[in-house]
Amino acid sequence: MIGTVARAAAVLRSAEDILILTHRRPDGDTVGSANALCLALRKLGKKAFLAPNSEITRRYVRLLAPYAPYEGFAPRFVVTVDCADRTMIPADMAQYAQHIDLVIDHHRSNEGFGAENLVMGQRASCAEIVCDVIEEMGVALDSSIAEGIYIGASTDTGCFKFSNTTANTHRVAAKCLDAGVDGGEINRALFETKSRARYEIEGMLFSSMRFYRDGKIAVALITREARQKTGADWDDLDAIAGVPRQIEGVEVGLTLTELENGDTKVSVRTTKEVDASAICALVGGGGHLRAAGATLHCDSAEAIRRMIEATERVYAGETA
Amino acid sequence: MIGTVARAAAVLRSAEDILILTHRRPDGDTVGSANALCLALRKLGKKAFLAPNSEITRRYVRLLAPYAPYEGFAPRFVVTVDCADRTMIPADMAQYAQHIDLVIDHHRSNEGFGAENLVMGQRASCAEIVCDVIEEMGVALDSSIAEGIYIGASTDTGCFKFSNTTANTHRVAAKCLDAGVDGGEINRALFETKSRARYEIEGMLFSSMRFYRDGKIAVALITREARQKTGADWDDLDAIAGVPRQIEGVEVGLTLTELENGDTKVSVRTTKEVDASAICALVGGGGHLRAAGATLHCDSAEAIRRMIEATERVYAGETA
């Protein structure tokens, strides 16, 4: 852990003209955290805005867009939420990358690239840390603030399902529901609603799935053709990497997506028997114990071959 | 609410030779509640057993079977958990149906059919009430007791996703994780693991789905043939009724299952726009606001016709 909640709250209380940055390929945690922090700072009477993020998807745009700064706003204090390092700052915000006043994050790998830093690696979501900071600033959670926190906490834990969920995650969720958040409706939109494109992609994924090592390794391929045919965008593909591992007996789920430039993106999801980050480290990627990824500069057939080989090497006890 | 936690705890503390009954077609809540209560009573030095349930599925058998009473055990105190009424008591336990000493339940419709009753309709799961009772009895949650509670709370709320989840559900879950429950592994087994039969059935379900009323009503049919072909059992079909409603724009999901005797079982799942119990009431069934069901004594083609008609009537503002 770097920094303290009390220090981050004190720094924010004395800040003015605040700009909050979300990370590249924004997810529910970065957007929810940013939204909640922005609303809380405004409740303290401060000018606070959310930096536009060109990669925002339709799912989360409503949490970001209404709080964009007016033309010519000159921030005097810049905060990042859920950004593990400077490279995660969107390219069009690069002007701020070397001058971050406060970093709030939960990635263990975060070395603290701001003037002030609050990094709590034991938290499942950045939103839980933001919740602490908001309370420490003396702002009561209302349903609007709590909504962002709830979205951050639920999306980063697969709706409280994944092994990273802690007692603290549940306690924060309880506070959000007490504040009036309609968890059922939020979850329905985020976790229970599948576009037809998503359904079709999942159908294709399953019918094309191949198994290795007596069903312990499952490989799913999302071709460029399948994406074009179904019209699936990145929102539709969100969390699809978890699908192969869901099948009974599978310990390593490999999901490969053919990218436009000919590269192949690989997402690895494992059960407790296998270290996903070790597999990805062997092909130049990285990540967490049970969820890791890599981008391979080759076509999908070659990528499948390399990934199976890397997985077998990890089963054999090898590390990068 | 009928009865108090304090009263139920006091009654249990003075009871001896306790038999705990689960309900027909046992789910995670009845089995988890029963398991936790049994272990807690044993911690108080009491003889406590779980009545065998012939309908138990492989998923939950480990929570029930090891605590079956020895041959000739004569219970002096009988408790039901999660049983809404006497008809939910398994047929081979009918001898106890008129002599239940304590009812612990969360179904609002429960009129209290025991000598003592603790019915808390505001709770998402019976397990949450059992948690209160166990604490009130002065038994500390250990990881074994907490596992049953966690399973009950998570399965009855779709892993904290559904709208019935309350702040209390999350607080109970937090206590369970604090007690050492491995929520990630439990959820992976209960929510993330799909048998191949389940995958195949889902694939068939989607490809055969039909839409009515501009995509607001989705109808899925599970034929006898599909069940035979995939070998899917009731565990495999668990919660499959939620699938049609997941599709974007669907407000009413109707899942019909052809039964061996020629009848058709219907499960109705709705969004907040439509009352599922009102639809089922029109065809002789019942249930909750967003989840209801009925068994129709006709083939599936006729059942589909009747269900569409009932749904259209509810849309038109009609009630039974």
Side-chain angles (χ1 to χ4, degrees), chain A residues 171 178 192 194 246 248, chain B residues 171 178 192 194 246:
Chain A
R171 292 203 171 92
D178 278 338
E192 288 275 281
K194 294 184 181 182
Q246 287 178 352
E248 218 168 358
Chain B
R171 292 204 171 92
D178 278 337
E192 289 274 281
K194 294 183 181 183
Q246 287 178 353

Side-chain angles (χ1 to χ4, degrees), chain A residues 287-298:
Chain A
H288 305 278
L289 209 56
R290 300 197 196 168
T295 299
L296 277 66
H297 306 299
C298 59

